[in-house]
Amino acid sequence: MCDDVEPNFDAMIDGVEPVMIDLTDVFTTGMILRGTRSSVGDGWYLHVIRGLHNHELAKKLTGHSFLGRLSQDEKNVLGDMTKNFVKPKNILMTLRDHNVESLTTIKQVYNAHQAYRSSLRGNRTEMQHLLILMERDKYVYRYRKVDGSDELRDIFWAHPDAITLVNNFHIILIMDSTYKTCRYRIPLLEIIGVTSTEMAFCVGFAYLQSERVDNFTWALQMVKEQITSGEVEVIVTDRDLALMNAVENVFPKAVNLLCLFHICKNVKAKCKMTVFPKKKQVQIMEAWEALIYSYDETQYYMKLAIFEGICSSCSIFYDYVHEQWLIPHKERFVEAWTNKVMQFGNTKTQRVESAHWSLKRILQDSIGDISSVWETINSMIVLQHNEIIASFEKSIIQKVHRYSNRLYANLRGVVSKNAIDHIAAEYDRVKYVGIDQTECRCTIRTTHGLPCACEIARYSMIPRSIPLDAIHGWWSKLTFHVDPSSKASELSVKHEIDVIVKKFEELDVYLKSYSPIPPASNLWKNYCNEEARQWEFIYRDRMQHWLQIFPETINEVIVN
């Protein structure tokens, strides 16, 4: 109590004994209030005995919690924005846009943000809440506990639509682990698939107790249980020996490729540490790139000899590359071997790295629990599936002018637009390759299941459109769902082609002075259309072949 204040408490107010409340020690303002209990209800009356303040009246009221409290409408807006993973600072800016006189602070937004999330869970435990969410959205999930305990060991989940997708696109999977996604600091294994429109989709996720072979094997077995429409043929991973062993155990028939990007990154880092001067580093890395991009085994061993010669004075670096990568794993990342595998252009784990980045960008921090991570993943997957559906529809309905060529007549709207893009790139090579298989190398036929340059040249010579059966069936899947009643197309034009070839062989083909193909003058090249420009090269290839058979006609055939 303040010594200089002597209030009179002798009188009773309405028969209620007054109570002196001293707030001096709390607020250090010198203000003294008297409280009297109300005779009606449980309320109190406060009477100001000394209304002094130790500060001037505030010019702005920002920071006063009572005045900054959220209205019910603002709480509803905050709840909707929290549910859609909007950052608190952006929520605050939105509230101020709606109410320019708002005195709410960022701390109050954080508190309301946490209160909203707590209200959703109620009195349920973290795992109870997670299982309820997965049941609500019909997820497939599996978990196992530590033996003799209720402690969670590993948990796997997959979206129902993702299971449908992976059964449609099961040929290739990409796998990698990421960290710092939740407060428990346990690794999150993410499995990625690829669609015919070359878009990545999340097949499944697994929180694992540790990164041991047993944990990875259990997670991959859960993935394998969901794939019932065919075999997984290619799996791309980093050089994680535990994961690689698990892949070999669960998918013994699959080819396990290693991420070329991360291998080159590691080799470059080792080169910088052990090789000097910098000019030597550049020389070694150029030889390394030439080695890993060898198109066949013969070229590989030629480039290897050159690489060994350049590294002769750098034994530490060479031993690292030789023993760590080339001897045990060259078949998993060198193009001379990976180009023999139907991997649809997926030789790196960058797709799964991109998925990691997208997840962490939405998470905003790594202090949440597993159920909050699951909610973030669920929202990410829903958006991902919408984009995939849009890409399918785009391939079906969108007409691209540069693909109006008769060559693509059978493919437009039937196969992925990305497949036609690859074919168009090969079509541009026809002018340099012709029908020479040695020059063509036919890489895209073995890696993507698409016609290569020399194959396209033969279709152009007839001329005819590329038949649908020349395209791998993976590219013609433009839907989420697998149609069990659909069968592979049995339509074939082989008989018709044989008849045409036979008729052609029976003709008296004898080209004389005026060829139906115009001379390749600059004027003609500048003004002819794209299809006609290819005639020159086709004509030359055909005539050279003719002259090999009938050299006596050399004076009667024009070859420009």
Side-chain angles (χ1 to χ4, degrees):
M1 301 291 292
C2 293
D3 295 336
D4 59 342
V5 179
E6 296 180 359
N8 181 10
F9 294 120
D10 294 336
M12 300 287 288
I13 301 177
D14 296 332
V16 178
E17 182 179 355
V19 177
M20 182 65 74
I21 303 174
D22 185 2
L23 302 178
T24 304
D25 295 335
V26 179
F27 298 107
T28 65
T29 64
M31 177 181 287
I32 301 177
L33 304 175
R34 183 178 69 181
T36 56
R37 189 177 290 109
S38 172
S39 59
V40 180
D42 297 329
W44 286 72
Y45 293 106
L46 290 179
H47 304 276
V48 178
I49 294 178
R50 184 179 180 182
L52 299 178
H53 288 264
N54 63 352
H55 60 83
E56 296 181 357
L57 185 65
K59 295 180 181 179
K60 294 184 178 180
L61 300 176
T62 303
H64 291 256
S65 58
F66 181 78
L67 297 175
R69 69 193 188 281
L70 297 173
S71 66
Q72 187 57 48
D73 288 341
E74 288 175 325
K75 288 180 180 178
N76 293 337
V77 172
L78 182 142
D80 290 339
M81 298 183 76
T82 299
K83 188 165 54 177
N84 290 295
F85 308 102
V86 179
K87 295 180 179 179
K89 66 176 182 179
N90 295 331
I91 295 176
L92 178 60
M93 295 304 297
T94 302
L95 294 178
R96 287 184 175 175
D97 286 342
H98 291 174
N99 179 11
V100 294
E101 298 179 354
S102 173
L103 300 175
T104 304
T105 63
I106 189 66
K107 183 177 181 181
Q108 289 173 305
V109 172
Y110 271 107
N111 292 340
H113 177 273
Q114 184 59 37
Y116 172 78
R117 298 190 68 86
S118 299
S119 68
L120 295 178
R121 180 181 298 182
N123 58 0
R124 296 189 293 268
T125 66
E126 179 182 342
M127 288 308 301
Q128 288 173 338
H129 185 58
L130 175 61
L131 297 181
I132 286 175
L133 291 175
M134 290 195 287
E135 289 284 354
R136 180 196 68 189
D137 290 345
K138 297 181 173 56
Y139 268 69
V140 172
Y141 64 91
R142 303 285 187 272
Y143 63 88
R144 60 177 182 169
K145 298 183 289 186
V146 176
D147 295 339
S149 169
D150 288 333
E151 179 185 351
L152 180 68
R153 184 178 181 186
D154 305 309
I155 182 169
F156 165 85
W157 67 84
H159 193 282
D161 287 341
I163 294 175
T164 304
L165 266 179
V166 76
N167 276 284
N168 218 7
F169 302 99
H170 56 79
I171 293 178
I172 184 163
L173 297 178
I174 308 171
M175 304 176 184
D176 190 27
S177 295
T178 187
Y179 312 90
K180 297 182 180 179
T181 57
C182 69
R183 65 175 67 144
Y184 305 111
R185 295 294 191 270
I186 53 179
L188 175 65
L189 176 65
E190 189 168 359
I191 300 98
I192 296 293
V194 184
T195 69
S196 58
T197 52
E198 297 185 327
M199 293 191 68
F201 65 93
C202 300
V203 176
F205 296 83
Y207 268 121
L208 305 176
Q209 185 185 49
S210 63
E211 294 182 287
R212 298 176 183 272
V213 176
D214 175 61
N215 302 90
F216 283 128
T217 299
W218 177 85
L220 295 186
Q221 285 173 341
M222 299 303 103
V223 174
K224 189 175 183 179
E225 286 180 6
Q226 312 309 318
I227 303 175
T228 57
S229 61
E231 293 285 341
V232 176
E233 298 180 12
V234 180
I235 296 177
V236 185
T237 67
D238 287 333
R239 185 183 166 275
D240 184 335
L241 297 180
L243 180 56
M244 292 170 65
N245 289 333
V247 168
E248 187 175 355
N249 293 337
V250 181
F251 299 101
K253 296 181 181 179
V255 177
N256 184 188
L257 301 181
L258 298 182
C259 176
L260 183 60
F261 172 80
H262 286 102
I263 292 174
C264 291
K265 185 177 179 180
N266 291 337
V267 170
K268 187 174 182 179
K270 188 69 173 180
C271 182
K272 287 183 176 181
M273 291 172 56
T274 59
V275 178
F276 299 98
K278 189 173 182 179
K279 184 178 180 180
K280 185 70 171 179
Q281 295 176 6
V282 174
Q283 187 180 13
I284 287 178
M285 290 309 299
E286 288 177 352
W288 166 256
E289 290 185 6
L291 177 66
I292 61 176
Y293 291 116
S294 302
Y295 58 82
D296 62 17
E297 294 182 38
T298 302
Q299 189 188 47
Y300 169 79
Y301 288 109
M302 290 172 57
K303 298 295 183 182
L304 180 60
I306 297 172
F307 182 72
E308 289 173 348
I310 295 175
C311 295
S312 58
S313 60
C314 311
S315 59
I316 296 177
F317 171 75
Y318 179 76
D319 290 343
Y320 164 77
V321 171
H322 197 64
E323 296 173 8
Q324 192 86 357
W325 298 111
L326 295 181
I327 291 179
H329 303 304
K330 64 178 181 293
E331 294 86 359
R332 301 176 188 266
F333 68 92
V334 177
E335 281 198 355
W337 286 273
T338 60
N339 282 348
K340 299 177 182 179
V341 179
M342 188 74 70
Q343 25 84 353
F344 300 104
N346 295 283
T347 58
K348 303 173 184 177
T349 59
Q350 286 174 309
R351 291 186 185 275
V352 71
E353 296 283 354
S354 177
H356 293 337
W357 178 82
S358 299
L359 173 60
K360 290 183 177 180
R361 184 184 59 175
I362 301 174
L363 280 176
Q364 303 172 20
D365 57 52
S366 59
I367 59 175
D369 54 28
I370 294 179
S371 60
S372 64
V373 174
W374 180 90
E375 290 178 286
T376 303
I377 290 173
N378 183 55
S379 298
M380 183 180 73
I381 289 175
V382 170
L383 295 176
Q384 189 180 80
H385 290 175
N386 287 338
E387 290 296 321
I388 290 172
I389 292 172
S391 71
F392 288 156
E393 293 301 314
K394 186 176 180 180
S395 289
I396 294 171
I397 65 177
Q398 190 177 56
K399 297 185 182 298
V400 181
H401 177 69
R402 61 194 174 115
Y403 298 149
S404 58
N405 191 320
R406 179 177 59 186
L407 189 69
Y408 309 110
N410 296 332
L411 309 181
R412 292 190 293 266
V414 180
V415 302
S416 163
K417 179 179 172 294
N418 302 70
I420 302 180
D421 289 339
H422 288 301
I423 296 172
E426 287 296 301
Y427 182 64
D428 292 339
R429 294 181 62 227
V430 169
K431 63 184 73 173
Y432 310 109
V433 173
I435 59 174
D436 188 351
Q437 289 187 353
T438 304
E439 184 69 24
C440 178
R441 298 174 192 160
C442 307
T443 302
I444 201 168
R445 169 53 72 187
T446 56
T447 60
H448 291 69
L450 296 173
C452 56
C454 67
E455 192 174 342
I456 295 171
R458 293 188 186 92
Y459 291 128
S460 301
M461 288 173 64
I462 297 179
R464 61 170 294 199
S465 302
I466 298 174
L468 191 58
D469 56 9
I471 309 297
H472 192 286
W474 191 79
W475 296 102
S476 60
K477 296 178 179 179
L478 298 174
T479 178
F480 254 61
H481 304 285
V482 180
D483 184 3
S485 62
S486 64
K487 297 181 180 179
S489 174
E490 297 180 357
L491 179 63
S492 175
V493 292
K494 185 177 184 304
H495 174 71
E496 288 77 4
I497 294 299
D498 291 341
V499 172
I500 293 172
V501 171
K502 185 177 180 181
K503 290 287 186 183
F504 181 79
E505 291 173 348
E506 292 174 354
L507 292 175
D508 185 14
V509 180
Y510 197 69
L511 299 179
K512 296 199 180 229
S513 53
Y514 293 100
S515 166
I517 308 298
S521 65
N522 289 332
L523 184 65
W524 179 76
K525 286 182 178 179
N526 291 337
Y527 292 97
C528 69
N529 62 36
E530 185 62 29
E531 184 176 1
R533 187 176 285 109
Q534 307 303 318
W535 295 349
E536 173 192 359
F537 305 100
I538 297 168
Y539 172 74
R540 287 181 178 180
D541 289 340
R542 187 182 298 171
M543 292 303 100
Q544 288 172 359
H545 182 66
W546 175 270
L547 292 175
Q548 290 175 359
I549 302 173
F550 302 105
E552 66 275 7
T553 63
I554 191 169
N555 296 323
E556 301 177 4
V557 175
I558 295 177
V559 180
N560 293 301

